[in-house]
Amino acid sequence: MLQADGGYLGSDFEAFFSAVVSGAAGVYVGVLLQDAGIETDLVVRPGQRVSVSGDPSLPRPPRWGGGSFTVQQRGSLSLSSVEVSGTISVSDGELSLSRMDVTADAFFQAFGTAQPGSVMRLSEVVVNT
C-alpha cells in the first residue's frame, strides 16, 4: 500500500524501493517473502524511517541482494531476518540490526563509517568471518 505523503507498507519490493528512492520523509516498511534481488544501492534520507524484515517462517532469511545501504543524517534503517551482501554505512543516523548474520566486512564497514551522533542497535547478530 503506497501512501501519497511519503511512506509504504507491504511486500512488493519494487514498489517499496521506488517509494524510498523518492526521498520523501515518512515511514517505509517492507516485508520480504522471498529473495528481493535488489542490486541498486539504497540511500535512506533525512526524515525517512525504513524497515526491511524477512518473513520469520521461511526456512532461511530472504536475500536483499548486492545493493548497499547508506543512512544519512536523521534517517533510520532497521534490518531484521534478512541477508544483506552489500555494505551498510551510517552518517549521523540510526541503524538497527536484529536476528541476522552479517559478513565481517559489512559489520566493520558499518562501524567504521559511522559518524559522531550515529546510533547503532544490535540484537541477535552473528558476524561471519
Side-chain angles (χ1 to χ4, degrees):
M1 169 174 82
L2 187 59
Q3 300 175 355
D5 60 350
Y8 178 86
L9 173 63
S11 58
D12 178 341
F13 261 77
E14 288 180 16
F16 169 83
F17 190 85
S18 293
V20 174
V21 170
S22 76
V27 177
Y28 301 85
V29 179
V31 178
L32 280 175
L33 303 175
Q34 60 187 11
D35 294 345
I38 304 288
E39 297 299 322
T40 306
D41 296 347
L42 183 67
V43 177
V44 178
R45 303 202 184 280
Q48 291 184 322
R49 298 187 61 79
V50 177
S51 173
V52 177
S53 7
D55 181 345
S57 69
L58 296 173
R60 66 160 178 77
R63 294 179 181 102
W64 171 258
S68 296
F69 293 94
T70 300
V71 184
Q72 293 183 338
Q73 184 178 22
R74 297 181 321 277
S76 172
L77 173 64
S78 174
L79 300 171
S80 177
S81 298
V82 63
E83 183 181 318
V84 175
S85 5
T87 59
I88 303 169
S89 61
V90 184
S91 299
D92 194 17
E94 294 184 20
L95 173 65
S96 297
L97 303 177
S98 65
R99 296 185 314 273
M100 55 189 292
D101 293 359
V102 295
T103 65
D105 288 342
F107 181 79
F108 291 115
Q109 170 76 20
F111 278 90
T113 60
Q115 300 295 313
S118 297
V119 175
M120 300 180 121
R121 293 179 182 88
L122 305 174
S123 174
E124 299 179 54
V125 173
V126 175
V127 178
N128 296 310
T129 55

